[in-house]
Amino acid sequence: MKKVEAIIKPFKLDDVRAALSDIGIAGMTVSEVKGFGRQRGHTELYRGAEYMVDFLPKVKVEVVIADADVDRCLEVIVEAAQTGKIGDGKIFVTDVARVIRIRTGEENEDAV
């Protein structure tokens, strides 16, 4: 099993969720996060004073899926989240050693 973490622009969340749902991935965790990479941040004006916003709002989507589904999952996330502009985000894929569904005690693929 793999854990796929995608850091995307907030306005792309609905597109990514729908795309994942279309390929049969129903369970996911979504978190509002802040960060920056090459995008660096931007300046804003508040009550006449200009200040630097270093951390930009992003959304982190996490899914745990079977190894066989990883490539298709990555494809649909990229297609749905890509704008072609700086700050589109990143996707991280890591191994998952074990999963347990607390309610039933099911493990691994059965728990996902």
Side-chain angles (χ1 to χ4, degrees):
M1 289 178 301
K2 303 287 187 204
K3 180 179 181 181
V4 176
E5 295 179 65
I7 310 296
I8 60 172
K9 292 181 175 184
F11 68 90
K12 286 297 199 170
L13 176 60
D14 288 337
D15 295 339
V16 170
R17 186 201 50 77
L20 289 172
S21 186
D22 288 347
I23 63 167
I25 297 173
M28 65 184 68
T29 301
V30 176
S31 307
E32 292 180 6
V33 296
K34 292 183 180 192
F36 70 91
R38 290 188 190 142
Q39 198 175 6
R40 294 283 182 221
H42 61 279
T43 58
E44 288 190 4
L45 201 59
Y46 179 73
R47 295 190 178 188
E50 190 174 280
Y51 65 99
M52 185 68 178
V53 177
D54 291 328
F55 295 102
L56 301 170
K58 301 288 182 180
V59 172
K60 179 165 68 169
V61 177
E62 299 172 90
V63 295
V64 176
I65 55 177
D67 290 341
D69 298 330
V70 171
D71 290 336
R72 186 67 186 130
C73 177
L74 298 178
E75 287 173 17
V76 300
I77 291 172
V78 169
E79 288 172 11
Q82 190 174 55
T83 67
K85 297 180 181 169
I86 193 166
D88 274 352
K90 297 239 185 332
I91 301 174
F92 305 96
V93 180
T94 55
D95 289 319
V96 174
R98 191 172 177 193
V99 176
I100 300 171
R101 181 174 301 181
I102 295 172
R103 179 177 55 86
T104 62
E106 293 171 296
E107 294 196 27
N108 300 324
E109 281 86 4
D110 293 334
V112 179

